[in-house]
Amino acid sequence: MRRRSGFGWMECIEGVLLLGLGSYTFAQPDRALTGFIVMYGIVAVTMGIADILLYVRVERFTGFGPIVSLMTGVMLLVYPNAGKWVMSLLFPLWFLAHCIGRLSGLHTVRLWAGDFTYYFTLIMNVLGLILGGLMLVDPLVSWLSARYLVSFYLILLGVDCVILAFSKLGSRE
């Protein structure tokens, strides 16, 4: 029988990447877009893999969200120039898919991580759904304000992942 460390390493790595990405987005909003897209691709691939592993760990159906996140990340890594043109569509879809995926496994978070983590994750993912919907409805406004909204959301999402890493969810057999 394999012993677990009681710490969610994948969630912690995902959280650190999201914190770094959110901080970078906030500090350097006008930097080269190609590097920006590649970093988002890395985070999307990591989040997709982490979500798939989470669902495998809790023996649930993987769902649509993690697969879209993984595919979006791979596309951004392989074709960064195409990512520049379609980012106004893919980025909101990634937000929506990730939030739907996280909300679908929320009952497990409450069971293993407690009420605080449950409500924090619930609020963060509902905010992510709203932000993703706003970015889909008006891409021009979202493009002008997204760097601050998205950076703030990514930082909070990173905090959410780090909280999950330290919760009881990491120690589940």
Side-chain angles (χ1 to χ4, degrees):
M1 181 187 246
R2 195 173 117 192
R3 295 194 56 153
R4 298 199 185 268
S5 67
F7 185 74
W9 286 105
M10 197 64 171
E11 288 84 6
C12 185
I13 291 169
E14 180 181 347
V16 169
L17 284 172
L18 285 167
L19 286 169
L21 182 59
S23 300
Y24 177 79
T25 304
F26 192 76
Q28 302 290 333
D30 297 324
R31 298 287 281 175
L33 189 56
T34 302
F36 196 60
I37 289 173
V38 168
M39 287 192 321
Y40 277 111
I42 291 169
V43 170
V45 168
T46 304
M47 289 172 65
I49 292 170
D51 286 347
I52 289 169
L53 291 175
L54 173 68
Y55 287 115
V56 167
R57 187 177 345 159
V58 296
E59 299 173 2
R60 303 289 267 163
F61 177 67
T62 301
F64 183 65
I67 303 298
V68 170
S69 182
L70 186 61
M71 288 176 13
T72 302
V74 169
M75 195 280 306
L76 291 174
L77 289 173
V78 173
Y79 301 110
N81 287 332
K84 291 177 185 179
W85 293 103
V86 296
M87 187 137 174
S88 63
L89 177 63
L90 288 180
F91 197 65
L93 290 176
W94 172 50
F95 262 56
L96 293 170
H98 176 73
C99 292
I100 290 168
R102 286 289 175 126
L103 288 172
S104 69
L106 202 55
H107 62 285
T108 305
V109 170
R110 186 175 211 171
L111 180 67
W112 290 98
D115 284 339
F116 172 77
T117 306
Y118 169 80
Y119 287 114
F120 187 78
T121 303
L122 175 67
I123 291 168
M124 291 310 308
N125 287 293
V126 168
L127 288 175
L129 286 174
I130 293 169
L131 180 59
L134 288 173
M135 286 190 290
L136 275 177
V137 170
D138 194 355
L140 180 60
V141 172
S142 71
W143 188 255
L144 297 174
S145 63
R147 58 185 180 202
Y148 300 113
L149 291 173
V150 170
S151 63
F152 182 68
Y153 177 72
L154 289 172
I155 289 170
L156 288 177
L157 192 58
V159 169
D160 179 45
C161 289
V162 171
I163 288 172
L164 279 174
F166 283 98
S167 72
K168 294 179 186 175
L169 194 62
S171 64
R172 183 159 189 254
E173 290 292 326

